[in-house]
Amino acid sequence: MADGTGENELVDLRTALARYEGSASAAALDRAFVAAAATVATLRGDRAGEPADATEVRELMAQLPEFERLVSRAVEEAERAACAGAAALWQWFGLSSAPPSWDEDERSGARVIVACACAPLQRRGAAWLRPRLLRLAARRWAGLLTDELAASDEAVWRRALGERYESVHRRYAPRSRWRTRELSAVLTHDESTAQALRTRLARWLSDSGDFELLPAELEAAFAQTRTPERLA
C-alpha cells in the first residue's frame, strides 16, 4: 500500500494466494481468506469492524488486485460447486436437458457476496456466505426446473415421487370421465400449482438441498393448491 501501512498483511495475502493457486485445497483457500480479511481490515482502518456494503467492496477490489484475484478464484470454486449441484439435481429427476449454470448477473452477485464475507470476516465468514450463495440462482433454477417438469412424461414423476407417486397421482392429477391424466398437465394448466412448486423448489435449493426431502416438497406443492377446502 502506498504509505507502507499494511505491507506485512499484503505480503501474507500474496503468499497465501500463491499457495492456494498452487494447491487448490480448501485449507489453502481458508488461509487466503484470513489473510485477505486482515489486509482489508488494515485498509479500512477504524471502520474495519463494520460490515462493508457492495459499493465499498467493489472499491476495495479495485484498490487491492490481490483481493480481487482471491475473490475471482473463490467465485470460480463456488460456481463449480453450484454447477455440480445442478447436475446432480437434473440427474436425480432423470432429465435429459442440460442443467443450468450461473448467468452473468449471478456471477457478479457472487463476487460482491464473497468480497463482503471478508469485511469483516469475524462477523460474516463461511456461515454468512454459504446461504447467500445458495440463494443467488435458486429462484431462476426453480423456474427452469418447473418448466422441465411441466414438459416431462409420467416416468419422471414416478422416479421423483417414488412410493408417493400413486397417491399423488390419484389425488391431484386432472381427471376426465375416461381417464386420469399426467401430473405434468397440472403444471401446464394450473398456474397456482406451478407457482407453488417454483416457490418450494427455490426454498429447497436455498435451504437444504437434501434429496431425501425433495419428494415431500413435490407432493406438498400439489396439496397446497389442489386439496379441496373441506379437506384442507
Side-chain angles (χ1 to χ4, degrees):
M1 300 171 191
D3 61 358
T5 302
E7 285 298 328
N8 291 336
E9 289 84 355
L10 185 55
V11 169
D12 289 344
L13 172 56
R14 287 170 177 163
T15 301
L17 182 55
R19 287 174 177 166
Y20 168 66
E21 291 176 334
S23 69
S25 73
L29 182 59
D30 288 344
R31 287 191 289 271
F33 260 96
V34 171
T39 307
V40 166
T42 300
L43 190 63
R44 297 183 73 209
D46 293 340
R47 298 186 62 256
E50 300 175 14
D53 62 17
T55 299
E56 184 178 3
V57 295
R58 289 191 182 98
E59 292 172 351
L60 288 166
M61 285 190 283
Q63 290 177 266
L64 286 171
E66 296 83 359
F67 180 45
E68 191 277 336
R69 202 164 98 218
L70 171 62
V71 168
S72 294
R73 298 292 183 272
V75 168
E76 289 170 4
E77 288 292 328
E79 183 169 10
R80 275 192 287 270
C83 288
L89 180 58
W90 254 239
Q91 183 179 21
W92 187 86
F93 277 101
L95 299 173
S96 59
S97 61
S101 58
W102 282 352
D103 63 21
E104 193 53 46
D105 287 342
E106 289 153 359
R107 201 171 291 116
S108 177
R111 285 170 53 82
V112 171
I113 291 169
V114 169
C116 283
C118 289
L121 188 63
Q122 294 82 356
R123 292 181 61 180
R124 287 178 167 174
W128 179 91
L129 177 62
R130 185 176 183 276
R132 286 163 175 80
L133 289 176
L134 289 174
R135 286 199 295 267
L136 270 175
R139 184 176 297 180
R140 184 173 67 87
W141 288 9
L144 293 173
L145 182 52
T146 300
D147 291 344
E148 288 286 338
L149 294 175
S152 295
D153 60 28
E154 211 65 3
V156 169
W157 289 103
R158 287 182 180 277
R159 177 189 178 105
L161 288 165
E163 63 185 16
R164 297 170 182 263
Y165 170 78
E166 294 297 341
S167 173
V168 172
H169 184 257
R170 184 178 64 254
R171 287 180 292 154
Y172 305 123
R175 297 180 183 179
S176 69
R177 183 175 178 180
W178 305 110
R179 67 186 180 102
T180 301
R181 298 179 62 193
E182 296 82 6
L183 286 170
S184 58
V186 179
L187 303 183
T188 302
H189 298 102
D190 183 358
E191 175 56 28
S192 63
T193 302
Q195 184 55 48
L197 184 57
R198 290 185 202 102
T199 300
R200 287 183 174 275
L201 288 172
R203 186 171 59 207
W204 180 86
L205 285 162
S206 298
D207 292 347
S208 68
D210 184 343
F211 286 105
E212 291 187 3
L213 301 177
L214 191 46
E217 291 294 336
L218 298 175
E219 180 177 4
F222 287 97
Q224 179 180 329
T225 59
R226 297 186 67 79
T227 300
E229 290 185 9
R230 57 188 171 80
L231 299 177

